[in-house]
Each structure stands twice: as structure tokens, then as C-alpha cells.
Amino acid sequence: MLQSLASNSCVRLIQSNTSAWYFFFLVLGYVLYLIFGAMVFSSVELPYEDLLRQDLRNAKRQFLQENECLSEERLEEFLGKVLEASNYGVSVLNNATANWNWDFTSALFFASTVLSTTGYGHTVPLSDGGKAFCIIYSVIGIPFTLLFLTAVVQRVMVYVTRSPVTYIHTRWGFSEQLVALVHALVLGLVTALCFFFIPASVFSSLEDDWNFLESFYFCFISLSTIGLGDYVPGEGYNQKFRQLYKVGITFYLMLGLIAMLVVLETFCELQELKRFRKIFYVKKEKAEDRVHIIDHEHLSFSSVSDQAASLREDKLNEPFMDVPPLTYTASDFSSLNR
């Protein structure tokens, strides 16, 4: 008896907090996914890092053996300055001195990466004034960019997603959910082709040191606004039409970001995903439901009087009817006297 009551109470407790349990499993799954990613990255990349460290130590040792007049402290000091300059996008190599990081087209590319929150990190402000302006520019520009992208995506969605789905649904009578799902898949494939595979082929042909995988990797890291900065186009010393190339990359990033947002918004409008997302949300009590409960369970005298007053006003506002005057005859009076 007690066990059955306890089990029933546990079931009721779980059923009354279904959304909280779903949210708990969501958080747990996300943490496990982070741990899984860390384990895979560590197991894959750690051997390569160790090999690179060994190669650098061997190269440093060989360099010091070949140049005995140079002390290790002087070499460490020189390498420290070189690495610090490299973090600011300035290279000591002769074949890279011709490329300026802060000409107009490079600055335009930097501004687009800041406002889109991509932030490759290969070029950063050097002066205190530039750093202060970057803060102010980002505080105003990032919300402005979000507003701009939201407005553009909302208009694009009308012609790219909603109108085609509605037309096919009403013209051929297919299920709207099925049409929306097929449309989202087709739109995703077209976007991947136009903004990932084709640009990756173009980058692999224009960049000397990039293969197709590295070019595709750059496209994905850029359009997902991750922006690791390990691959940045247009930084080669022999890059032809570098100024025009930088402008083209800027437009590609903005158009690609809009296309990615359109695809994400299209998938988010699918009924299946909406129902899936709702299981993790806190259920809100509708305001109209609360008003409905108050009207039916907590009626006060004032509310009743207000309703009665409104009924009287309705009656008074009705059009008057022409009533014929009352006439009495002698027979009527005689019957009353009797």
C-alpha cells in the first residue's frame, strides 16, 4: 500500500516537472558533448603538438650550434619580439613586408569581421586609441549589425521560404509540413553548394598553400562566426589584385552570413523543431487564462453591477418602437364598475 502510494507520488512529481527533467538532460547532454569534444581534440592534436615542439627544439639547437657567437639568451629575446609582432599581424619575413594590415581594404575587412563577431585575430589594433575606438565601434556596431541582419533575413524569408511553401501547398495541395521540410532540405543543400563547396574550390585555386579541405574549413569557420584565424585569405606576399580580393571576401562573408541565417530561420520554423524545442521551455500560464479563471471563480459585486449597468445601457440604446396610444370605450368602464 505504502509502496504504491510512493510510486504514484513519484510519477505525479515527474509528470508535473517534465520540462525541468528535459532541461536537466539537455544540460547534461551538452556538458557530456563538451567533454567528448575535448577528449577527441586532445587525443588527435596532442601528438602533432608534441612533434612540432620537438622540431622547434631541434631547429633551435642546430641554429645555436651553427652560430656559436650567438647566445641562447639573445636568440630568446629576438624570438620573443618576433612572436609578439606576429600576434599583431606584423611579420619579420622579407616576403611579407609588402603587405600592409591597415590599408583601406584591409581595414574594411577587419571592420566586417568585428561587426559580424567573426574576429580572426590575425590583425588587431596596435595603438591605445585604436583599441578604445574598437570598443566603442563594437558596442554600437554589433547591435546595429544584428538589426541589419534581422531586417534583411526577414525580407529574404518572405520570398525564399514562406512564399514558395505557401504557393506549393495551395497550388498542388501537398501537406504544408511536408513541403516546408523538403524546402528546408533543398535550401540547405543549395546554400552549402553556393557558399561552401564552390567558394572552397575558388579559394583552393587562388591560395597557394590551401587545399580543398583547408579552403572548406575556412568557409565553415568563417560563416559560422567561429573565426579561429589560422587561415585568412589574401595574406600571401604574391597575392594578385589583393585590394580587390579583400573587398570580394568581405562581400562573400556578409552574403554568406545572411544565407546561413536564412537557412537556420527556415529550419527553426519547421513544426517538428518547434515542438522539439518546446519540451525544454518553461510552460507559461497565459494571461487570458488567468483572466478567465478570475471572471468565473472570483466574481465580485462590482463586476456584477458593472455587467448589469452595461446591460441597462444596451437596453436604453435600443431604438424606440412606436406604440399605439391606449383607447378606452364605455363598455370597458362599465365592466370595471361591475
Side-chain angles (χ1 to χ4, degrees), residues 157 162 176-177 180 264-281:
M157 286 284 295
R162 299 191 180 100
E176 187 174 4
Q177 294 184 2
L264 291 177
E265 185 68 20
T266 301
F267 275 93
C268 287
E269 288 190 354
L270 295 177
Q271 295 297 325
E272 293 81 4
L273 289 181
K274 286 183 178 179
R275 288 193 294 266
F276 179 73
R277 293 199 310 269
K278 285 181 179 179
I279 67 176
F280 303 105
Y281 296 163

XYZ file of all heavy atoms in Angstrom, residues 157 162 176-177 180 264-281:
208
model
N 13.284 35.949 -46.162
C 12.460 34.798 -45.820
C 11.107 34.821 -46.521
O 10.558 33.768 -46.869
C 12.237 34.750 -44.308
C 13.439 34.302 -43.507
S 13.707 32.525 -43.621
C 12.245 31.911 -42.809
N 8.732 31.483 -47.240
C 7.297 31.462 -46.984
C 6.472 31.442 -48.267
O 5.517 30.665 -48.380
C 6.920 32.668 -46.112
C 7.605 32.665 -44.753
C 7.032 33.709 -43.827
N 7.726 33.682 -42.528
C 8.681 34.522 -42.183
N 9.058 35.462 -43.020
N 9.260 34.436 -41.001
N 1.478 21.002 -45.874
C 2.347 22.162 -45.652
C 3.594 21.780 -44.873
O 4.686 22.297 -45.136
C 1.571 23.245 -44.911
C 2.338 24.560 -44.791
C 1.502 25.659 -44.186
O 0.353 25.378 -43.797
O 1.990 26.799 -44.101
N 3.474 20.879 -43.897
C 4.642 20.444 -43.136
C 5.633 19.689 -44.014
O 6.841 19.878 -43.906
C 4.202 19.562 -41.970
C 3.378 20.301 -40.921
C 3.033 19.421 -39.742
O 3.430 18.267 -39.688
N 2.284 19.956 -38.795
N 7.341 22.211 -46.304
C 8.319 23.011 -45.558
C 9.582 22.208 -45.272
O 10.696 22.739 -45.366
C 7.695 23.505 -44.260
N 18.994 28.790 -41.160
C 18.676 28.488 -39.769
C 17.255 28.895 -39.420
O 16.524 28.157 -38.739
C 19.670 29.199 -38.846
C 21.107 28.679 -38.871
C 21.998 29.529 -37.974
C 21.173 27.226 -38.419
N 16.822 30.060 -39.889
C 15.458 30.508 -39.622
C 14.440 29.612 -40.313
O 13.367 29.335 -39.762
C 15.292 31.961 -40.098
C 13.955 32.586 -39.773
C 13.763 32.814 -38.287
O 14.772 32.855 -37.560
O 12.605 32.951 -37.854
N 14.780 29.133 -41.504
C 13.880 28.219 -42.207
C 13.705 26.918 -41.448
O 12.584 26.409 -41.299
C 14.429 27.937 -43.616
O 14.541 29.177 -44.341
C 13.496 27.001 -44.380
N 14.786 26.373 -40.937
C 14.680 25.139 -40.153
C 13.981 25.390 -38.820
O 13.266 24.513 -38.327
C 16.068 24.549 -39.913
C 16.549 23.680 -41.027
C 17.328 24.203 -42.052
C 16.216 22.336 -41.077
C 17.775 23.399 -43.096
C 16.645 21.525 -42.113
C 17.427 22.052 -43.125
N 14.182 26.559 -38.233
C 13.526 26.851 -36.956
C 12.021 26.991 -37.102
O 11.287 26.811 -36.118
C 14.107 28.138 -36.351
S 15.775 27.951 -35.694
N 11.520 27.305 -38.283
C 10.086 27.430 -38.500
C 9.400 26.101 -38.755
O 8.177 26.059 -38.878
C 9.803 28.383 -39.669
C 10.088 29.835 -39.342
C 9.575 30.776 -40.413
O 9.099 30.283 -41.459
O 9.641 31.996 -40.205
N 10.152 25.022 -38.852
C 9.530 23.711 -39.028
C 8.771 23.331 -37.766
O 9.247 23.521 -36.651
C 10.600 22.660 -39.336
C 11.357 22.814 -40.661
C 12.430 21.741 -40.777
C 10.409 22.741 -41.849
N 7.578 22.770 -37.966
C 6.736 22.420 -36.833
C 7.390 21.353 -35.956
O 7.230 21.352 -34.748
C 5.365 21.928 -37.334
C 4.552 22.992 -38.045
C 4.206 24.152 -37.134
O 3.974 23.970 -35.928
N 4.175 25.346 -37.683
N 8.128 20.427 -36.570
C 8.766 19.372 -35.799
C 9.808 19.957 -34.846
O 9.895 19.543 -33.680
C 9.430 18.364 -36.729
C 8.458 17.551 -37.566
C 7.964 18.309 -38.794
O 8.450 19.431 -39.024
O 7.112 17.777 -39.520
N 10.589 20.916 -35.321
C 11.599 21.538 -34.458
C 10.963 22.420 -33.396
O 11.479 22.524 -32.280
C 12.587 22.347 -35.305
C 13.550 21.536 -36.157
C 14.483 22.455 -36.921
C 14.370 20.584 -35.289
N 9.847 23.069 -33.742
C 9.158 23.879 -32.745
C 8.654 23.024 -31.596
O 8.794 23.382 -30.427
C 7.992 24.630 -33.403
C 8.406 25.793 -34.284
C 7.199 26.515 -34.821
C 7.609 27.715 -35.676
N 6.422 28.423 -36.226
N 8.060 21.893 -31.932
C 7.588 21.000 -30.878
C 8.747 20.432 -30.064
O 8.630 20.250 -28.847
C 6.757 19.869 -31.492
C 5.396 20.300 -32.004
C 4.527 19.095 -32.287
N 5.068 18.312 -33.389
C 4.689 18.461 -34.652
N 3.772 19.373 -34.971
N 5.202 17.712 -35.604
N 9.859 20.160 -30.731
C 11.021 19.629 -30.011
C 11.598 20.667 -29.061
O 12.013 20.337 -27.945
C 12.072 19.169 -31.019
C 13.321 18.625 -30.392
C 13.321 17.374 -29.781
C 14.494 19.358 -30.393
C 14.468 16.869 -29.184
C 15.642 18.857 -29.812
C 15.624 17.609 -29.209
N 11.653 21.929 -29.480
C 12.202 22.972 -28.618
C 11.310 23.238 -27.413
O 11.800 23.563 -26.330
C 12.394 24.272 -29.403
C 13.448 24.210 -30.482
C 13.897 25.607 -30.868
N 12.780 26.490 -31.140
C 12.233 26.653 -32.341
N 12.683 25.957 -33.378
N 11.238 27.489 -32.516
N 10.008 23.107 -27.598
C 9.091 23.456 -26.528
C 9.212 22.534 -25.314
O 8.842 22.933 -24.211
C 7.650 23.436 -27.046
C 7.306 24.639 -27.917
C 5.863 24.578 -28.370
C 5.512 25.790 -29.227
N 4.098 25.730 -29.702
N 9.720 21.318 -25.523
C 9.808 20.408 -24.382
C 10.883 20.844 -23.396
O 10.893 20.377 -22.259
C 10.073 18.962 -24.852
C 11.456 18.847 -25.483
C 8.998 18.489 -25.803
C 11.820 17.427 -25.894
N 11.775 21.747 -23.796
C 12.817 22.238 -22.901
C 12.467 23.588 -22.287
O 13.225 24.097 -21.470
C 14.149 22.356 -23.639
C 14.614 21.082 -24.265
C 14.529 20.891 -25.635
C 15.126 20.060 -23.490
C 14.955 19.718 -26.222
C 15.558 18.875 -24.066
C 15.471 18.708 -25.428
N 11.354 24.186 -22.699
C 10.995 25.513 -22.228
C 10.105 25.417 -20.988
O 9.429 24.410 -20.761
C 10.258 26.310 -23.314
C 11.084 26.610 -24.530
C 10.491 27.011 -25.721
C 12.461 26.497 -24.501
C 11.248 27.278 -26.843
C 13.224 26.771 -25.624
C 12.607 27.154 -26.787
O 13.366 27.419 -27.901
